[in-house]
Structures are given as C-alpha cells and as structure tokens.
Amino acid sequence: MARAVAVTAAVPSSGRAEAVLSRLYLTVTRKLDGLLQGDYVGLLPGPGSEAGESTEYRPGDDVRRMDWPVTARTTVPHVRRTVADRELEAWVAVDLSASLDFGTARCLKRDLAVSAAAAMVHLTARGGNRVGAVIGTGDPALGGVLTRLPARTGRKEAHGLLRAIAGTQSRPGRSDLGALIDMLNRPPRRRGVAVVISDFLAPPQQWGRQVRKLAVRHDVLAVEVVDPRELELPDAGVLTLADPETGTLHEVQTADPRLRRRYAEAAGAQRAAIAQTLRGAGAAHLRLRTDSDWLLDIVRFVAGQRHARTRGIARPAPTPRPESEAR
C-alpha cells in the first residue's frame, strides 16, 4: 500500500505554533466570514429541531414534514422547514501522528490539519456553541498520548483550545485512530457535531467501526489531509526518503515509470478505500490538499451544505474530486 514515505520535518516550537495561530486568526475570521455570509452556518446538513417557515412542497421534500394545517387552508401542499439547532456541542478529533509532519507543497500536513481545526472551531464557536477536542500524538507504546480538552464556550476558550492543538508535539509511531475516534463516543452525549481530522493512513479496519458508531448519534465530518507526493512520485532519479513514523530510510528509483505507475495505482486504491469506508459509515467527507487553497475548499463544502439545508434535502456525503481534476 502507498504509505506516507517522506522526509520528516522538525517538531513545531511554541513560537512557531503561535505564529501559525496568528496567521490563522486573520485568515479564518476575516476571509471565512467574508466568504460565508448569512445567518448561522452549520458544518453538516441536518434538519435541526427548531420550527421554521412553511413552503410549498417540491419533489424531493420529506413528506413526514408536511404542514397539514397550512395545506388545508391553502389547498396547496406545504412542508414545514426546520432550522439547525442554535446551540450544540461539537468535538474535534485531531490526529497528529508523525506522518502529519510532512509536506512538499504549500505547507506541512500538520499545518493543514491545524488550519482545518481552526476553521471548524470558528464556524462552531461563533454561534455560542461548546467546542471540545481530543488529540492523538503517536504510538502509545512509544510515548504517544491521547489528550482530551473539555468543551467550553467563548472565543477566548476556543483560542486556547487551538493553541493547545497547535502546540502539541508529535511522538514516534502512529496514533491509534480508532481509539482516538472512540473517545468522542465516551461519555455518551446528546446529538451534536463530531469532526475527525487525519490523513487516515491507518487501515480502515482499524477505525471504520468507530466512525460508524459515532455517526449513529452525531453528525460526523471527516477531514482527510493529503499531500500530492502521497498520490504520485515525481521523476527525480534516486531519492533517499525516510518514513516519518519509523525513521526507516528508503532509496527509491523514481525514474522507473513502472514503479511510479504501481505507486500511483496503490495510492489511488488506498484513497478509494478510505472514501468508501467513510461514505459507508455515513460521514461527510472533505479532502484537503497541501497544494490547493484549503480555505476555498472549506468554503465550497460549507456553502454546499447550506444550500442542501435551504432546499430541505439531506445530501449524501460529497465524493472527493478525482486527483486529476484536483490538480
């Protein structure tokens, strides 16, 4: 299988983490709010529980929401819209395995994961909602830990949560993604939003069941972080690469077209398995790449969810664009 065999990067210092957060604050609060106009914007499509206005029935509307009193008065079928709950509890699971300390384009995958967390926390916290997080940092046998940050309301608390995420140091090995996701299931909570941010390089058998269990009670958004070199190798001759999780060195002859083809095929099959597992679990799927505009990708995703909610239609989780189109 195509793994993130890559040159490792240095562990971010607290100064670098603060610099990243400073840039993110300006980017997220100014640009994201400017691009996403309107009232409360949720991350995922959902009917909510607050009663909204009645509108004429259109093909595709849920007949269980028929507004019979209005229908009787007007003799025209109407449905009662509902709006997203104004207060909810959201949790963000951030996988900061050593494989995230890698990047060959605009940024490291780690920086992209922190950026995604900042955007999700901002979109949730600005509605007065409670936001918490769980963080995974490497193999527990090699010093990795699973950390829980309690859910709180307020901008100051949200910024503190992001500071803790950005300042977390990766540990050797791979985090137990299944155990990290399962932390969102315990203790049981009322229905809310759960966001899982990871490169999902662990086999789907290790985390698919946990995602399905999470989606039974919560709206789940899976943010997959990808670097282009994890999808295909460049024709650059002999390269000495290091696996960031194990430190193992590899010499790869990238001039061999058959090797590059097999690598691309294995990587494509791996990403397809990830997408299929998330879709089968009922999670919405957002893929962010280190060589694209992550902010624009998030805006498109959230705007699409808002459009689906406005129409009263719960769309299936979006399928990631083919890699050829994404480039």
Side-chain angles (χ1 to χ4, degrees):
M1 294 299 289
R3 289 196 48 159
V5 180
V7 178
T8 58
V11 174
S13 64
S14 58
R16 179 174 179 272
E18 286 296 331
V20 170
L21 284 181
S22 297
R23 292 196 304 270
L24 282 177
Y25 179 80
L26 295 176
T27 300
V28 172
T29 58
R30 294 182 180 180
K31 293 186 178 181
L32 195 60
D33 280 344
L35 292 171
L36 290 173
Q37 299 292 341
D39 295 330
Y40 179 87
V41 181
L43 294 175
L44 297 168
S49 59
E50 293 187 17
E53 63 180 2
S54 290
T55 59
E56 290 189 13
Y57 173 85
R58 292 182 298 180
D61 287 343
D62 190 345
V63 296
R64 293 174 297 180
R65 298 195 178 91
M66 292 293 296
D67 192 334
W68 296 113
V70 175
T71 299
R73 289 198 305 268
T74 62
T75 69
V76 177
H78 278 68
V79 291
R80 172 70 68 175
R81 303 294 184 193
T82 54
V83 296
D85 295 331
R86 293 286 173 170
E87 294 183 1
L88 73 154
E89 185 170 284
W91 283 83
V92 182
V94 186
D95 176 14
L96 294 180
S97 298
S99 62
L100 275 292
D101 289 325
F102 166 69
T104 63
R106 298 181 178 182
C107 62
L108 298 177
K109 290 197 301 179
R110 178 191 177 94
D111 292 338
L112 188 56
V114 174
S115 299
M120 302 309 164
V121 169
H122 173 70
L123 287 173
T124 304
R126 71 176 185 175
N129 303 308
R130 289 156 44 90
V131 186
V134 293
I135 310 170
T137 59
D139 188 345
L142 300 175
V145 295
L146 299 177
T147 304
R148 184 189 302 273
L149 304 175
R152 294 189 174 94
T153 59
R155 290 181 178 271
K156 181 179 179 181
E157 287 73 13
H159 188 73
L161 182 144
L162 291 174
R163 184 184 297 111
I165 294 175
T168 299
Q169 295 186 353
S170 298
R171 302 294 181 181
R174 171 167 298 284
S175 300
D176 187 340
L177 184 56
L180 179 67
I181 296 172
D182 211 33
M183 288 182 69
L184 300 180
N185 287 313
R186 300 191 306 267
R189 302 179 180 89
R190 68 185 182 90
R191 185 174 180 84
V193 174
V195 181
V196 181
I197 304 173
S198 174
D199 53 14
F200 291 97
L201 291 182
Q205 298 85 348
Q206 296 182 9
W207 49 264
R209 181 182 61 83
Q210 288 82 355
V211 175
R212 289 194 299 272
K213 180 180 177 182
L214 187 64
V216 170
R217 179 179 291 269
H218 305 286
D219 291 325
V220 180
L221 168 60
V223 180
E224 180 187 5
V225 180
V226 183
D227 187 85
R229 292 289 75 84
E230 295 174 328
L231 305 174
E232 62 180 12
L233 291 174
D235 184 357
V238 178
L239 294 179
T240 301
L241 306 175
D243 189 321
E245 294 185 346
T246 65
T248 305
L249 297 178
H250 302 265
E251 283 194 356
V252 181
Q253 176 54 272
T254 61
D256 185 352
R258 293 175 298 178
L259 173 65
R260 297 199 306 273
R261 183 177 64 253
R262 292 197 304 269
Y263 183 92
E265 290 173 352
Q270 182 185 45
R271 296 298 166 178
I274 293 171
Q276 182 178 4
T277 302
L278 293 173
R279 185 167 53 247
H285 184 195
L286 170 61
R287 178 175 293 171
L288 301 180
R289 294 170 53 115
T290 60
D291 61 344
S292 64
D293 188 338
W294 63 270
L295 184 65
L296 184 58
D297 289 339
I298 291 177
V299 168
R300 287 171 175 167
F301 176 84
V302 176
Q305 304 308 310
R306 179 170 59 179
H307 177 70
R309 182 183 297 117
T310 301
R311 289 176 56 87
I313 302 173
R315 303 186 310 169
T319 301
R321 294 176 293 170
E323 305 306 334
S324 59
E325 296 181 10
R327 292 191 294 273

PDB file of all heavy atoms in Angstrom, residues 15-30 159 166:
ATOM      1  N   GLY A  15       6.833  28.937  19.635  1.00  0.00           N
ATOM      2  CA  GLY A  15       6.834  30.185  18.871  1.00  0.00           C
ATOM      3  C   GLY A  15       6.245  30.005  17.498  1.00  0.00           C
ATOM      4  O   GLY A  15       5.483  30.849  17.018  1.00  0.00           O
ATOM      5  N   ARG A  16       6.605  28.898  16.866  1.00  0.00           N
ATOM      6  CA  ARG A  16       6.058  28.628  15.536  1.00  0.00           C
ATOM      7  C   ARG A  16       4.554  28.385  15.617  1.00  0.00           C
ATOM      8  O   ARG A  16       3.788  28.815  14.755  1.00  0.00           O
ATOM      9  CB  ARG A  16       6.756  27.420  14.932  1.00  0.00           C
ATOM     10  CG  ARG A  16       6.241  27.050  13.548  1.00  0.00           C
ATOM     11  CD  ARG A  16       7.075  25.920  12.944  1.00  0.00           C
ATOM     12  NE  ARG A  16       6.571  25.543  11.639  1.00  0.00           N
ATOM     13  CZ  ARG A  16       5.622  24.627  11.447  1.00  0.00           C
ATOM     14  NH1 ARG A  16       5.087  24.027  12.494  1.00  0.00           N
ATOM     15  NH2 ARG A  16       5.205  24.339  10.247  1.00  0.00           N
ATOM     16  N   ALA A  17       4.119  27.678  16.670  1.00  0.00           N
ATOM     17  CA  ALA A  17       2.687  27.425  16.840  1.00  0.00           C
ATOM     18  C   ALA A  17       1.922  28.730  16.994  1.00  0.00           C
ATOM     19  O   ALA A  17       0.840  28.909  16.414  1.00  0.00           O
ATOM     20  CB  ALA A  17       2.457  26.525  18.061  1.00  0.00           C
ATOM     21  N   GLU A  18       2.470  29.681  17.764  1.00  0.00           N
ATOM     22  CA  GLU A  18       1.808  30.968  17.932  1.00  0.00           C
ATOM     23  C   GLU A  18       1.766  31.738  16.617  1.00  0.00           C
ATOM     24  O   GLU A  18       0.782  32.419  16.307  1.00  0.00           O
ATOM     25  CB  GLU A  18       2.534  31.789  19.004  1.00  0.00           C
ATOM     26  CG  GLU A  18       2.280  31.306  20.421  1.00  0.00           C
ATOM     27  CD  GLU A  18       0.816  31.452  20.819  1.00  0.00           C
ATOM     28  OE1 GLU A  18       0.130  32.354  20.319  1.00  0.00           O
ATOM     29  OE2 GLU A  18       0.359  30.630  21.642  1.00  0.00           O
ATOM     30  N   ALA A  19       2.841  31.640  15.825  1.00  0.00           N
ATOM     31  CA  ALA A  19       2.859  32.318  14.529  1.00  0.00           C
ATOM     32  C   ALA A  19       1.799  31.739  13.606  1.00  0.00           C
ATOM     33  O   ALA A  19       1.105  32.472  12.881  1.00  0.00           O
ATOM     34  CB  ALA A  19       4.245  32.201  13.896  1.00  0.00           C
ATOM     35  N   VAL A  20       1.676  30.408  13.622  1.00  0.00           N
ATOM     36  CA  VAL A  20       0.647  29.759  12.801  1.00  0.00           C
ATOM     37  C   VAL A  20      -0.739  30.217  13.230  1.00  0.00           C
ATOM     38  O   VAL A  20      -1.595  30.540  12.402  1.00  0.00           O
ATOM     39  CB  VAL A  20       0.774  28.229  12.910  1.00  0.00           C
ATOM     40  CG1 VAL A  20      -0.426  27.540  12.270  1.00  0.00           C
ATOM     41  CG2 VAL A  20       2.061  27.753  12.241  1.00  0.00           C
ATOM     42  N   LEU A  21      -0.983  30.278  14.535  1.00  0.00           N
ATOM     43  CA  LEU A  21      -2.289  30.692  15.027  1.00  0.00           C
ATOM     44  C   LEU A  21      -2.586  32.150  14.682  1.00  0.00           C
ATOM     45  O   LEU A  21      -3.731  32.513  14.391  1.00  0.00           O
ATOM     46  CB  LEU A  21      -2.374  30.491  16.538  1.00  0.00           C
ATOM     47  CG  LEU A  21      -2.555  29.051  17.019  1.00  0.00           C
ATOM     48  CD1 LEU A  21      -2.652  29.012  18.533  1.00  0.00           C
ATOM     49  CD2 LEU A  21      -3.791  28.429  16.401  1.00  0.00           C
ATOM     50  N   SER A  22      -1.574  33.013  14.731  1.00  0.00           N
ATOM     51  CA  SER A  22      -1.779  34.423  14.385  1.00  0.00           C
ATOM     52  C   SER A  22      -2.228  34.569  12.940  1.00  0.00           C
ATOM     53  O   SER A  22      -3.146  35.334  12.630  1.00  0.00           O
ATOM     54  CB  SER A  22      -0.486  35.212  14.622  1.00  0.00           C
ATOM     55  OG  SER A  22      -0.134  35.192  15.990  1.00  0.00           O
ATOM     56  N   ARG A  23      -1.578  33.829  12.045  1.00  0.00           N
ATOM     57  CA  ARG A  23      -1.981  33.885  10.639  1.00  0.00           C
ATOM     58  C   ARG A  23      -3.371  33.302  10.446  1.00  0.00           C
ATOM     59  O   ARG A  23      -4.184  33.830   9.688  1.00  0.00           O
ATOM     60  CB  ARG A  23      -0.973  33.126   9.771  1.00  0.00           C
ATOM     61  CG  ARG A  23       0.400  33.770   9.687  1.00  0.00           C
ATOM     62  CD  ARG A  23       1.199  33.196   8.536  1.00  0.00           C
ATOM     63  NE  ARG A  23       1.317  31.742   8.622  1.00  0.00           N
ATOM     64  CZ  ARG A  23       2.292  31.113   9.246  1.00  0.00           C
ATOM     65  NH1 ARG A  23       3.233  31.806   9.871  1.00  0.00           N
ATOM     66  NH2 ARG A  23       2.343  29.788   9.260  1.00  0.00           N
ATOM     67  N   LEU A  24      -3.634  32.205  11.155  1.00  0.00           N
ATOM     68  CA  LEU A  24      -4.939  31.571  11.014  1.00  0.00           C
ATOM     69  C   LEU A  24      -6.055  32.468  11.514  1.00  0.00           C
ATOM     70  O   LEU A  24      -7.151  32.481  10.949  1.00  0.00           O
ATOM     71  CB  LEU A  24      -4.957  30.251  11.782  1.00  0.00           C
ATOM     72  CG  LEU A  24      -4.261  29.070  11.119  1.00  0.00           C
ATOM     73  CD1 LEU A  24      -4.310  27.852  12.029  1.00  0.00           C
ATOM     74  CD2 LEU A  24      -4.876  28.757   9.774  1.00  0.00           C
ATOM     75  N   TYR A  25      -5.795  33.220  12.581  1.00  0.00           N
ATOM     76  CA  TYR A  25      -6.834  34.096  13.121  1.00  0.00           C
ATOM     77  C   TYR A  25      -7.298  35.093  12.069  1.00  0.00           C
ATOM     78  O   TYR A  25      -8.498  35.304  11.860  1.00  0.00           O
ATOM     79  CB  TYR A  25      -6.305  34.821  14.356  1.00  0.00           C
ATOM     80  CG  TYR A  25      -7.316  35.761  14.966  1.00  0.00           C
ATOM     81  CD1 TYR A  25      -8.327  35.279  15.785  1.00  0.00           C
ATOM     82  CD2 TYR A  25      -7.269  37.129  14.703  1.00  0.00           C
ATOM     83  CE1 TYR A  25      -9.265  36.126  16.337  1.00  0.00           C
ATOM     84  CE2 TYR A  25      -8.207  37.990  15.254  1.00  0.00           C
ATOM     85  CZ  TYR A  25      -9.203  37.485  16.069  1.00  0.00           C
ATOM     86  OH  TYR A  25     -10.138  38.331  16.601  1.00  0.00           O
ATOM     87  N   LEU A  26      -6.339  35.708  11.382  1.00  0.00           N
ATOM     88  CA  LEU A  26      -6.686  36.673  10.340  1.00  0.00           C
ATOM     89  C   LEU A  26      -7.363  35.989   9.166  1.00  0.00           C
ATOM     90  O   LEU A  26      -8.340  36.488   8.603  1.00  0.00           O
ATOM     91  CB  LEU A  26      -5.430  37.412   9.874  1.00  0.00           C
ATOM     92  CG  LEU A  26      -4.738  38.297  10.912  1.00  0.00           C
ATOM     93  CD1 LEU A  26      -3.462  38.891  10.333  1.00  0.00           C
ATOM     94  CD2 LEU A  26      -5.671  39.404  11.385  1.00  0.00           C
ATOM     95  N   THR A  27      -6.839  34.829   8.782  1.00  0.00           N
ATOM     96  CA  THR A  27      -7.391  34.134   7.626  1.00  0.00           C
ATOM     97  C   THR A  27      -8.813  33.655   7.874  1.00  0.00           C
ATOM     98  O   THR A  27      -9.709  33.885   7.064  1.00  0.00           O
ATOM     99  CB  THR A  27      -6.502  32.935   7.261  1.00  0.00           C
ATOM    100  OG1 THR A  27      -5.189  33.402   6.952  1.00  0.00           O
ATOM    101  CG2 THR A  27      -7.059  32.194   6.054  1.00  0.00           C
ATOM    102  N   VAL A  28      -9.008  32.997   9.005  1.00  0.00           N
ATOM    103  CA  VAL A  28     -10.298  32.390   9.279  1.00  0.00           C
ATOM    104  C   VAL A  28     -11.358  33.429   9.616  1.00  0.00           C
ATOM    105  O   VAL A  28     -12.444  33.436   9.049  1.00  0.00           O
ATOM    106  CB  VAL A  28     -10.171  31.351  10.417  1.00  0.00           C
ATOM    107  CG1 VAL A  28     -11.535  30.856  10.851  1.00  0.00           C
ATOM    108  CG2 VAL A  28      -9.312  30.181   9.955  1.00  0.00           C
ATOM    109  N   THR A  29     -11.036  34.337  10.543  1.00  0.00           N
ATOM    110  CA  THR A  29     -12.057  35.274  10.995  1.00  0.00           C
ATOM    111  C   THR A  29     -12.426  36.305   9.938  1.00  0.00           C
ATOM    112  O   THR A  29     -13.581  36.722   9.853  1.00  0.00           O
ATOM    113  CB  THR A  29     -11.595  36.005  12.271  1.00  0.00           C
ATOM    114  OG1 THR A  29     -10.361  36.696  12.001  1.00  0.00           O
ATOM    115  CG2 THR A  29     -11.389  35.036  13.396  1.00  0.00           C
ATOM    116  N   ARG A  30     -11.467  36.717   9.119  1.00  0.00           N
ATOM    117  CA  ARG A  30     -11.764  37.734   8.114  1.00  0.00           C
ATOM    118  C   ARG A  30     -12.227  37.130   6.798  1.00  0.00           C
ATOM    119  O   ARG A  30     -13.304  37.431   6.297  1.00  0.00           O
ATOM    120  CB  ARG A  30     -10.537  38.624   7.886  1.00  0.00           C
ATOM    121  CG  ARG A  30     -10.168  39.467   9.095  1.00  0.00           C
ATOM    122  CD  ARG A  30      -8.965  40.362   8.792  1.00  0.00           C
ATOM    123  NE  ARG A  30      -8.594  41.171   9.953  1.00  0.00           N
ATOM    124  CZ  ARG A  30      -7.579  42.027   9.962  1.00  0.00           C
ATOM    125  NH1 ARG A  30      -6.835  42.187   8.879  1.00  0.00           N
ATOM    126  NH2 ARG A  30      -7.308  42.724  11.058  1.00  0.00           N
ATOM    127  N   HIS A 159      -9.820  29.923  21.380  1.00  0.00           N
ATOM    128  CA  HIS A 159      -8.440  30.222  21.023  1.00  0.00           C
ATOM    129  C   HIS A 159      -7.473  29.398  21.876  1.00  0.00           C
ATOM    130  O   HIS A 159      -6.441  28.922  21.374  1.00  0.00           O
ATOM    131  CB  HIS A 159      -8.156  31.707  21.211  1.00  0.00           C
ATOM    132  CG  HIS A 159      -6.821  32.137  20.678  1.00  0.00           C
ATOM    133  ND1 HIS A 159      -6.552  32.246  19.334  1.00  0.00           N
ATOM    134  CD2 HIS A 159      -5.666  32.470  21.317  1.00  0.00           C
ATOM    135  CE1 HIS A 159      -5.295  32.625  19.161  1.00  0.00           C
ATOM    136  NE2 HIS A 159      -4.742  32.770  20.354  1.00  0.00           N
ATOM    137  N   ALA A 166      -2.230  23.366  18.322  1.00  0.00           N
ATOM    138  CA  ALA A 166      -1.064  23.778  17.534  1.00  0.00           C
ATOM    139  C   ALA A 166       0.238  23.515  18.276  1.00  0.00           C
ATOM    140  O   ALA A 166       1.274  23.266  17.646  1.00  0.00           O
ATOM    141  CB  ALA A 166      -1.173  25.254  17.162  1.00  0.00           C
TER     142      ALA A 166
END
